[in-house]
């Protein structure tokens, strides 16, 4: 349930943003989006914390403790936690953790020593203060909740199947991923699924009872040693796991596909009362998310899938010969409010996965906000990667909003979700118009039948909004029977809406988006077509007319693919300050058919899910295929091979997208990735230097690098101030001569040397790329690419830079009909140009709002060629009235995002838009008065500044042209006269390349 704001009379003016954020965010969440992670109430609140200490964990320990040799694995090898030295050092770390806890009177709840030197404990405020001052303590983090991030056959789309597919090239599905273990950290597993059917585990070792040399087919067969599962792997190391028993889960649930299954819930079980625990306290999956991700990554090949009596064809895991180790750390609560997993349990799962010896970790989960690089779970993943484990992470489902990503650390592969050939259905209206959308549930012709908006067939006591959303119990069976019902997306799960239509006797549903969101192929209770954009609006409007009707049919021309799905989170990474391009890559993640757990999926064994959670196991599976062929390759080399051979995704019009903040390097190309030519590699020492460069104190003494210099397969510069040079090193996978070509509009890009010669595989070469801003717009993301070519081999790196020609204030303020103000700017070049456009003082719209929850709406048009826009709402509000503005950009009449503008001390809410794109801005003016008759007067004004805008008064800038020293501050004076005193005037002061400052007067 969404919390409701308290009475306005008790809240001070200027907090409308805080009051409305939760409500609006909740309304816009698509299915499988991470639910809001509860932020800690305060830094000194009693609760469970994770405390990280300075000494290195096992995977990076270099022998600095007297008499205990290093445990850090050598290049190309995995950590072995069974050695005497590993056991001694692990004891050293846990003893140290216990000692630190005892210093403050705390008791250790969980120890972590493999991927992070951390322990969890319940601490009060006094203990927190004392621990923060304790030598050797490097980080204290609250234990927070994390959530699962939720061709028509994705393996066909990726080019895995068929005579010329990658599986065939690798020796067939029986060889694709052999010798590799994928660790799935998720909601558990449904072991009875046909996707995991395999022979039982036995005590017979590979090679037979007499210990002879095992055959090729028997080499990587897992076996039992007591209760321990043992599997010799492709990289020459050994996996050891176990089948942990629990509720409805016995040791017999594991087999030669699911070779290990554990669960981690100590923190979650301690925090969630037994009365609210759903699912199973065991590795068994009750929701389906973990079963879906595991079967997508490594499910058996050619499994026949059916649902609701319909034949859905066959499904296959990406790496069907790989094995699965299950680490359940995400849990289900009965009321849904405590679904997810705590950091402490996730770190325990990561720690154990690395100790067991997995090769790949699939991490299809995340939070509502971007995780810090030094978050304990991200630190654990960093050291997992340092131990040679490839980590695939979900980018999140908060798109298409900018800067909505999670899991953005450089040591993981952050995955965006793309579309594949869609399942389609068509709605043909009684007026002859037809609209095609996504449908997996229309298998024939439905109708013609009456078409109605849901509110037209609602129960008498149901609200109109809830009814249009088809919330459970809102529709009247007498009115809905025999009709096709139009239901709005939002609030309730998509499949729950069709269930409500079925309950009320409706024969079909048209699900319509009310904003720009994805369309998804869920399995519905009645035949359903999902529409978005103008098509959705047209059907909604028509359904409200008299005698409306519609026919639903299977098929229809679907959208261009692959596109980045609307729900897929976008960059830039705020934690990385724009100096690291994320996401890394796109993989199929929309309407993905795979195995699920029947209890959470209406009894189905297979279902369609959408989300970056579904894209991530495609990358995890591809990594397994890669490591099966190249077992000693580093995780970053594998990531580089995927990124530099990716292809562009498509825009809606069928052209190449080029939106690197959505697609990263592009759509993964399974067949091309095994022939990368060159790779960009990095290791934990490089990551520590990067962390120091972004301001994280690693306590390791590592020297910082410029974050843009991390040896990454993409190049990003968050602020290209005039000029900057970045350095990269590539490693050849075969001999060849490569020539560089850079493409970055408005920026002169120089690669040195521009030709690289390699005489053999493994040879390294270093080069630099110098960027000099020429005509690129200042403050606007500029994207392009660097491509190395040798014969038919291309190695492409995306580039994303934000040029800045000057450092100048975003806004300068002044008062009076005339006057002047002086401010400082720092130019990036030898010439400073400053030109004033304006002042513009558009007419005011005067109005008022009455009541305790009054609001009104405006649409502000931004014409083409606008240099800057300023929208102002001035309130004359009582002291106990909450006021503010909610606004966002619109596309095709649909609101794309919601932002907030609280009033300043003078009662004015301001929306400033430098260099805006042409279009429409939605503006909601809100007043929450203390009584029903509270009146709140306000004025509304839109100042659009173009090159030829009518002006009211005069503004000049001195100097308007000057020779200056780059990087040295220079004073600029703005002088105005003749501007009106009773209304706001706005001037755009423009510098080189479109950069500028807004001068706001009165």
């Amino acid at each position: 349930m969404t919390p409701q704001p308290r009475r306005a009379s008790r809240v001070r003016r200027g907090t409308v943003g805080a009051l409305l954020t939760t409500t609006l965010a909740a309304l816009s969440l698509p299915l499988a989006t991470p639910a809001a992670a509860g932020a800690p109430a305060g830094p000194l609140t009693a609760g469970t914390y994770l405390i990280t200490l300075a000494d290195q964990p096992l995977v990076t320990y270099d022998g600095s403790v007297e008499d205990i040799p290093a445990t850090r694995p050598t290049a190309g090898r995995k950590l072995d936690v069974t050695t005497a030295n590993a056991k001694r050092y692990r004891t050293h770390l846990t003893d140290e953790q216990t000692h630190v806890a005892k210093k403050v009177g705390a008791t250790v709840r969980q120890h972590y020593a493999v991927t992070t030197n951390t322990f969890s404990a319940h601490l009060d405020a006094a203990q927190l203060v004392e621990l923060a001052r304790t030598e050797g303590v490097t980080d204290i983090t609250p234990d927070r909740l994390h959530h699962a991030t939720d061709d028509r056959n994705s393996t066909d789309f990726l080019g895995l199947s068929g005579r010329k597919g990658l599986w065939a090239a690798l020796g067939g599905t029986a060889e694709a991923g052999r010798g590799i273990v994928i660790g799935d950290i998720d909601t558990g597993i449904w072991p009875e699924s046909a996707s995991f059917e395999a022979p039982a585990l036995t005590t017979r070792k590979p090679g037979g009872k007499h210990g002879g040399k095992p055959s090729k087919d028997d080499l990587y067969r897992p076996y039992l040693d007591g209760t321990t599962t043992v599997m010799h792997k492709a990289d020459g190391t050994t996996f050891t796991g176990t089948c942990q028993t629990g509720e409805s889960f016995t040791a017999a649930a594991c087999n030669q596909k699911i070779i290990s299954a554990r669960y981690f819930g100590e923190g979650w079980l301690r925090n969630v009362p037994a009365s609210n625990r759903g699912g199973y306290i065991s590795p068994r999956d009750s929701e389906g998310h973990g079963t879906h991700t595991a079967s997508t990554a490594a499910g058996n090949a050619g499994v026949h899938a059916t649902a609701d009596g319909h034949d859905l064809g066959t499904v296959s895991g990406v790496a069907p010969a790989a094995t699965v180790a299950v680490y359940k750390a995400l849990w289900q609560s009965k009321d849904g409010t405590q679904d997810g997993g705590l950091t402490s349990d996730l770190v325990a799962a990561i720690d154990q996965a690395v100790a067991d010896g997995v090769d790949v970790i699939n991490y299809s989960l995340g939070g509502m906000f971007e995780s810090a690089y030094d978050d304990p779970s991200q630190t654990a993943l960093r050291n997992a990667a340092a131990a040679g484990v490839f980590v695939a992470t979900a980018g999140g489902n908060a798109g298409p909003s900018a800067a909505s990503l999670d899991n953005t650390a450089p040591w993981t592969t952050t995955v965006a979700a793309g579309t594949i050939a869609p399942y389609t259905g068509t709605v043909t209206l009684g007026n002859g118009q037809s609209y095609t959308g996504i449908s997996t549930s229309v298998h024939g012709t439905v109708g013609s039948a009456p078409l109605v908006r849901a509110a037209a067939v609602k129960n008498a006591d149901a609200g109109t909004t809830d009814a249009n959303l088809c919330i459970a119990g809102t529709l009247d069976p007498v009115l809905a029977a025999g009709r096709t019902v139009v239901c709005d997306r939002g609030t309730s799960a998509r499949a729950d809406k069709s269930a409500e239509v079925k309950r009320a006797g409706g024969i079909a549903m048209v699900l319509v988006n009310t904003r720009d969101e994805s369309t998804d192929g869920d399995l519905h209770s009645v035949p359903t077509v999902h529409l978005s954009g103008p098509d959705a609006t047209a059907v909604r409007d028509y359904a409200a007319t008299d005698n409306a009707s519609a026919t639903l049919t299977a098929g229809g021309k679907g959208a261009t693919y692959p596109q980045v799905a609307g729900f897929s989170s976008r960059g830039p990474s705020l934690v990385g300050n724009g100096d690291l391009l994320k996401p890394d890559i796109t993989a199929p993640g929309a309407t993905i058919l795979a195995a699920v757990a029947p209890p959470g999926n209406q009894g189905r064994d297979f279902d369609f899910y959408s989300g970056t959670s579904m894209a991530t196991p495609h990358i995890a599976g591809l990594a397994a295929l890669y490591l099966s062929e190249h077992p000693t390759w580093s995780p970053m080399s594998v990531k580089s091979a995927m990124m530099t051979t990716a292809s562009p995704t498509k825009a809606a019009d069928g052209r190449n997208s080029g939106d690197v903040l959505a697609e990263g390097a592009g759509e993964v190309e399974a067949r091309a990735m095994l022939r990368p030519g060159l790779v960009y590699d990095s290791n934990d020492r490089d990551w520590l230097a990067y962390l120091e460069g972004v301001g994280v104190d690693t306590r390791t003494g590592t020297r910082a690098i410029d974050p843009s210099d991390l040896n990454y397969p993409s190049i990003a510069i968050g602020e290209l101030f005039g000029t900057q040079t970045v350095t990269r090193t590539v490693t050849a996978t075969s001999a060849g001569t490569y020539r560089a070509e850079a493409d970055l509009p408005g920026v002169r890009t120089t690669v040195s040397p521009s030709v690289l010669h390699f005489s053999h595989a493994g040879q390294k070469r270093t080069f630099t790329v110098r960027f000099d801003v020429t005509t690129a717009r200042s403050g606007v993301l500029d994207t392009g690419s660097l491509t190395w070519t040798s014969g038919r081999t291309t190695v492409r790196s995306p580039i994303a830079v934000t040029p800045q020609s000057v450092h100048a204030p975003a806004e300068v303020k002044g008062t009076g009909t005339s006057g002047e103000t002086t401010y400082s700017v720092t130019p990036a070049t030898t010439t400073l140009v400053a030109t004033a456009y304006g002042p513009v003082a558009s007419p005011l719209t005067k109005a008022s709002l009455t009541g305790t929850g009054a609001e009104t709406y405006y649409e502000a048009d931004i014409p083409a060629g606008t240099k800057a826009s300023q929208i102002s709402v001035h309130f004359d509000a009582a002291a106990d009235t909450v006021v503010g503005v909610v606004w966002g950009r619109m596309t095709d009449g649909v609101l794309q995002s919601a932002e907030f503008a609280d009033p300043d001390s003078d009662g004015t809410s301001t929306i400033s838009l430098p260099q805006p794109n042409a279009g429409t801005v939605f503006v909601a003016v809100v007043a929450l008065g203390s009584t029903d008759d509270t009146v709140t007067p306000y004025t509304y004004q839109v100042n659009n500044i173009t090159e030829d805008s009518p002006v009211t008064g005069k503004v000049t800038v001195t100097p308007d042209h000057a020779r200056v020293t780059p990087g040295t501050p220079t004073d600029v004076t703005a002088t105005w006269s003749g501007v009106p005193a009773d209304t706001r005037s706005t001037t755009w002061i423009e510098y080189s390349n479109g950069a500028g400052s807004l001068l706001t007067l009165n």
Side-chain angles (χ1 to χ4, degrees), residues 224 432 554 616 724:
L224 287 174
T616 305
Q724 185 169 334

Side-chain angles (χ1 to χ4, degrees), residues 560-657:
T560 300
Y561 66 93
Q563 298 183 49
V564 176
F567 59 75
S568 188
S569 291
R570 268 63 169 175
S573 164
L574 300 182
V575 173
N577 300 314
D579 291 324
L580 183 71
L581 178 60
K582 288 284 182 168
D584 291 310
I585 201 161
T586 302
T591 315
I592 303 300
L593 179 64
V596 293
N601 295 273
Q602 296 80 47
R604 302 181 186 115
D605 295 314
F606 298 89
D607 210 337
F608 294 92
Y609 282 11
S610 294
T612 54
S613 283
M614 285 62 255
T616 305
H618 283 88
I619 294 298
L622 289 172
L625 296 181
Y626 218 112
L627 292 170
S628 184
E629 288 294 294
H630 302 286
T632 61
W633 273 40
S634 72
M636 297 303 101
S637 293
V638 175
K639 171 163 73 172
S640 175
M642 290 183 184
M643 290 177 62
T644 59
T645 58
S647 61
T649 62
K650 300 296 183 182
D653 62 5
R655 299 180 182 180
N656 288 344
S657 167

Side-chain angles (χ1 to χ4, degrees), residues 486-512:
V486 177
C487 297
D488 292 348
R489 181 177 184 167
T491 305
S492 62
R494 298 185 297 265
D496 290 349
K497 299 175 187 294
S498 62
E500 172 61 9
V501 172
K502 181 177 181 179
R503 183 200 64 80
I507 64 168
M509 178 177 80
V510 181
L511 179 61
V512 293

Side-chain angles (χ1 to χ4, degrees), residues 440-818:
T440 61
S441 54
V442 177
H443 301 284
T445 299
V446 182
S448 178
L451 180 71
V452 293
R453 289 291 306 278
V457 292
K458 71 180 185 69
N459 286 322
D461 56 352
T464 298
T465 299
D466 283 352
N468 276 330
L469 290 164
C470 295
I471 302 296
T474 58
L475 304 186
D476 186 338
V478 174
L479 300 176
R483 285 167 167 74
T484 295
V485 182
V486 177
C487 297
D488 292 348
R489 181 177 184 167
T491 305
S492 62
R494 298 185 297 265
D496 290 349
K497 299 175 187 294
S498 62
E500 172 61 9
V501 172
K502 181 177 181 179
R503 183 200 64 80
I507 64 168
M509 178 177 80
V510 181
L511 179 61
V512 293
N513 291 345
T514 58
R515 46 174 257 160
D516 185 19
E517 294 183 271
S518 61
T519 49
D520 302 278
D522 311 295
L523 290 174
H524 285 281
S525 300
V526 295
T528 297
V529 176
H530 190 175
L531 300 173
S532 192
D535 292 357
T537 301
V539 172
R540 289 172 89 238
D541 292 346
Y542 172 75
T545 64
D546 293 338
N547 301 316
S549 63
T551 302
L552 273 56
T553 53
K557 182 176 174 54
T560 300
Y561 66 93
Q563 298 183 49
V564 176
F567 59 75
S568 188
S569 291
R570 268 63 169 175
S573 164
L574 300 182
V575 173
N577 300 314
D579 291 324
L580 183 71
L581 178 60
K582 288 284 182 168
D584 291 310
I585 201 161
T586 302
T591 315
I592 303 300
L593 179 64
V596 293
N601 295 273
Q602 296 80 47
R604 302 181 186 115
D605 295 314
F606 298 89
D607 210 337
F608 294 92
Y609 282 11
S610 294
T612 54
S613 283
M614 285 62 255
T616 305
H618 283 88
I619 294 298
L622 289 172
L625 296 181
Y626 218 112
L627 292 170
S628 184
E629 288 294 294
H630 302 286
T632 61
W633 273 40
S634 72
M636 297 303 101
S637 293
V638 175
K639 171 163 73 172
S640 175
M642 290 183 184
M643 290 177 62
T644 59
T645 58
S647 61
T649 62
K650 300 296 183 182
D653 62 5
R655 299 180 182 180
N656 288 344
S657 167
D659 185 355
V660 298
L661 297 183
E663 69 176 8
E667 183 82 22
V668 66
E669 288 285 348
R671 286 171 290 193
M673 70 177 187
L674 289 177
R675 303 181 301 276
L678 306 173
V679 293
Y680 297 81
D681 199 8
S682 61
N683 57 35
D684 60 309
R685 293 183 177 89
D686 301 314
W687 307 329
L688 291 172
Y690 170 84
L691 289 175
E692 294 286 347
V694 297
V696 176
D697 184 359
T698 65
R699 311 286 181 96
T700 62
T702 303
R703 184 178 178 180
I705 61 170
D706 186 300
S708 297
D709 281 334
L710 178 67
N711 201 46
Y712 214 70
S714 57
I715 297 174
I717 303 175
E719 183 182 78
L720 177 55
F721 189 60
T723 184
Q724 185 169 334
T725 299
V726 301
T727 302
R728 290 291 188 272
T729 298
V730 288
T731 304
T733 63
S734 60
T737 298
Y738 288 81
R739 289 173 171 78
E741 181 179 352
D743 176 25
L744 189 61
V747 177
R748 185 170 62 252
T749 306
T750 306
V751 183
S752 182
S754 60
V755 178
L756 300 176
H757 177 71
F758 300 89
S759 59
H760 59 272
Q763 196 169 16
K764 298 179 184 294
R765 291 284 185 263
T766 297
F767 64 91
T768 61
V769 185
R770 178 185 169 100
F771 299 97
D772 292 280
V773 178
T774 54
T775 60
R777 293 285 300 274
S778 185
V780 177
L781 183 72
D782 192 19
T783 63
S785 62
L786 166 66
T787 303
W788 291 97
T789 303
S790 176
R792 299 177 64 180
T793 301
T794 58
V795 186
R796 182 182 180 277
S797 294
I799 300 174
V801 302
T802 302
Q804 295 290 350
S805 60
V806 64
H807 286 161
E811 184 180 26
V812 180
K813 292 185 176 182
T815 59
T817 58
S818 61

Side-chain angles (χ1 to χ4, degrees), residues 203-393:
T203 58
R204 186 173 65 86
K205 297 181 179 181
K209 63 175 78 175
H210 302 296
K213 183 177 180 180
S215 66
K216 177 183 177 183
D217 292 339
D218 200 41
L219 183 62
Y220 303 126
R221 177 177 51 79
Y223 63 93
L224 287 174
D225 182 1
T227 59
T228 300
T229 307
V230 181
M231 176 180 152
H232 304 298
K233 302 188 301 157
D235 66 356
T237 63
T238 300
F239 173 89
T240 56
T242 191
C243 203
Q244 185 179 2
T245 60
E247 186 179 354
S248 299
F249 202 92
T250 68
C254 293
N255 56 23
Q256 292 183 31
K257 169 63 75 172
I258 304 171
I259 63 172
S260 180
R262 304 178 188 261
Y263 63 95
F264 302 84
E266 185 175 321
W268 189 85
L269 293 170
R270 188 185 304 113
N271 281 273
V272 178
S275 60
N276 195 33
R277 296 174 190 165
Y280 306 94
I281 310 303
S282 74
R284 182 171 290 278
D285 185 11
S286 60
E287 300 176 71
H289 193 275
T291 302
H292 199 284
T293 57
S295 62
T296 298
N300 293 328
V303 176
H304 188 224
T306 61
D308 302 333
H310 297 289
D311 186 345
L312 301 175
T314 60
V315 294
S316 301
V318 174
T323 56
V324 176
V326 176
Y327 300 88
K328 179 176 176 176
L330 300 179
W331 300 85
Q332 183 178 20
S333 60
K334 289 182 179 178
D335 64 4
T337 62
Q338 294 175 293
D339 288 357
L342 288 169
T343 304
S344 56
D345 296 329
L346 290 167
V347 172
I350 299 166
D351 221 45
Q352 189 63 58
V354 176
D356 288 348
V358 303
D359 300 287
V360 177
I361 286 177
N362 184 73
Y363 198 74
S364 289
L365 58 105
M368 182 181 178
F369 49 87
E370 187 176 0
S371 299
Y373 289 152
D374 55 359
D375 177 273
S377 60
Q378 299 299 316
T379 298
L381 292 174
R382 169 166 59 85
N383 287 318
V389 178
F390 183 95
V391 181
T393 57

